[in-house]
Amino acid sequence: MLAALLAALIAAPSASVTTALLLREPGRTSPAGGIDVQAVLRTVAPSVVTIETGRAGADRIFGSGAGSGVVLSSDGLVLTNAHVVAGADAIRVAVSGGPPRPADLVGSSPSVDIALVRVRDASGLVPATLGSSVAVAVGDDVVAIGYALSLGDAPTVTRGIVSAKGRSLEADGIVLDDLLQIDAAINRGNSGGPLVNSAGQVIGINTAGIPNAQNLGFAIEIDAVRPVVEQLLAGRGELEVRGFLGVTTRAVGELAREARDGLRTAEATGLVVLRVQPGSGAADADLRVGDVILAIDGRSVETPTDLGDLLRTRSAGDSVTVDLDRQGERRSVTARLGSRAVPAGR
């Protein structure tokens, strides 16, 4: 049913069908003469939103996080990252620099870091056009758009190229596949914003930047996103809630010698922290990029799978003791787990 609806809209888009995605044939990603950033921005900026999450108060959100999103329908359907809205008690969306408006979670698929929210009582929004990541080649020009660091009412725009395709990245024991690696800057708040080609078509959803790395960011390929959107709209989201620490890690043994030397640790095993999710239990416990996690509640963790298996036995709100090595010094911290929906049975 939904596939037929999408096909009909490709032939004849209609504003009356409010939950549809406007899909068009992708244009060339890097035309002769390079990418016209201003033209791309004029096309896409009206479809990029900023997302606030946290605890609802009388007239504001307290303890809020921030991210970005992409408008998919005129009646307020917005695509973003699952980690942007993970554990949120309240969600607000600001469209095109306007005032924040309340929104509701439609569904979340953390295994691919994709979520849908809907702005309440919305109409007349400008949907983005989704392209195709199949047409993307290494070296193509791209533009990343999002509300980096929540710096203002206008989105931040960074330009770069596609550095690689088909990359994988691990966070809290969940491996994200089908990633575009780009050299355009991805900063806090960019998550959930669009990666677009020269035609102003969305070819990826920005998901991660690696702190202290040079020109290294990642976006989820849009062709991997489409079926997840259909799944979430059909009500087949991933609803089993488990403990969420909020770190992206890699096994110490997988690091190059130079990178291991930079950690200044004698530990041969453990998980080096590559990224700490703002507002997470890991951030509140002062876990830092470069820390080596050795054990959780006394259980050794040597691979991201070990961490994921352990967190599956914990619930949101649980406190865990994290044993770590920081630049050669052993220490322990207590972290309170947040919540994250994951695929049932995994």
Side-chain angles (χ1 to χ4, degrees):
M1 178 68 179
L2 182 58
L5 178 60
L6 295 179
L9 280 170
I10 295 172
S14 170
S16 64
V17 186
T18 55
T19 59
L21 312 182
L22 302 184
L23 308 181
R24 301 174 188 169
E25 288 299 316
R28 291 184 62 195
T29 304
S30 297
I35 192 168
D36 186 339
V37 177
Q38 292 184 347
V40 167
L41 186 59
R42 285 193 297 270
T43 299
V44 182
S47 305
V48 183
V49 304
T50 181
I51 299 175
E52 298 176 358
T53 64
R55 180 170 55 86
D59 58 357
R60 57 172 292 188
I61 292 179
F62 296 93
S64 61
S68 302
V70 182
V71 175
L72 293 184
S73 72
S74 61
D75 69 338
L77 190 66
V78 172
L79 172 66
T80 187
N81 286 145
H83 78 257
V84 169
V85 295
D89 176 57
I91 303 171
R92 295 201 304 179
V93 174
V95 182
S96 297
R101 302 160 65 178
D104 300 302
L105 180 64
V106 174
S108 176
S109 181
S111 62
V112 289
D113 201 18
I114 289 299
L116 292 176
V117 302
R118 188 180 296 279
V119 183
R120 297 177 191 170
D121 303 319
S123 62
L125 304 189
V126 181
T129 299
L130 306 187
S132 172
S133 47
V134 170
V136 177
V138 173
D140 282 350
D141 291 318
V142 290
V143 173
I145 305 174
Y147 288 84
L149 307 177
S150 300
L151 291 175
D153 293 336
T156 295
V157 181
T158 55
R159 175 182 177 177
I161 64 168
V162 175
S163 303
K165 297 181 66 176
R167 294 298 201 204
S168 297
L169 192 66
E170 180 277 333
D172 265 2
I174 295 176
V175 178
L176 301 178
D177 296 312
D178 300 313
L179 299 178
L180 297 172
Q181 181 182 323
I182 58 176
D183 67 354
I186 302 293
N187 295 295
R188 177 182 174 184
N190 269 114
S191 292
L195 183 73
V196 299
N197 62 16
S198 60
Q201 300 164 334
V202 179
I203 59 170
I205 300 299
N206 303 325
T207 188
I210 303 300
N212 303 321
Q214 297 295 318
N215 302 325
L216 189 62
F218 297 91
I220 306 165
E221 295 185 11
I222 200 63
D223 291 342
V225 171
R226 277 197 186 88
V228 181
V229 170
E230 295 186 21
Q231 171 185 323
L232 296 178
L233 285 175
R236 300 193 303 273
E238 301 167 271
L239 302 178
E240 184 180 343
V241 176
R242 297 175 181 157
F244 175 66
L245 181 59
V247 292
T248 299
T249 63
R250 188 173 183 182
V252 170
E254 295 180 357
L255 298 180
R257 184 178 184 85
E258 182 179 352
R260 291 180 61 179
D261 290 344
L263 299 175
R264 298 180 183 176
T265 178
E267 302 295 338
T269 61
L271 299 176
V272 61
V273 176
L274 302 179
R275 183 174 183 268
V276 178
Q277 172 69 29
S280 67
D284 291 343
D286 194 33
L287 283 172
R288 304 176 186 178
V289 172
D291 285 349
V292 176
I293 298 176
L294 304 172
I296 304 290
D297 285 343
R299 287 178 54 184
S300 297
V301 287
E302 298 184 3
T303 69
T305 300
D306 292 341
L307 179 60
D309 289 344
L310 191 150
L311 291 177
R312 289 187 184 96
T313 68
R314 303 295 193 269
S315 301
D318 287 351
S319 292
V320 296
T321 299
V322 182
D323 297 325
L324 60 91
D325 181 295
R326 178 175 294 164
Q327 296 287 292
E329 178 185 343
R330 290 280 193 110
R331 61 180 67 194
S332 295
V333 299
T334 299
R336 184 183 176 95
L337 299 180
S339 62
R340 186 171 193 172
V342 297
R346 286 186 59 177

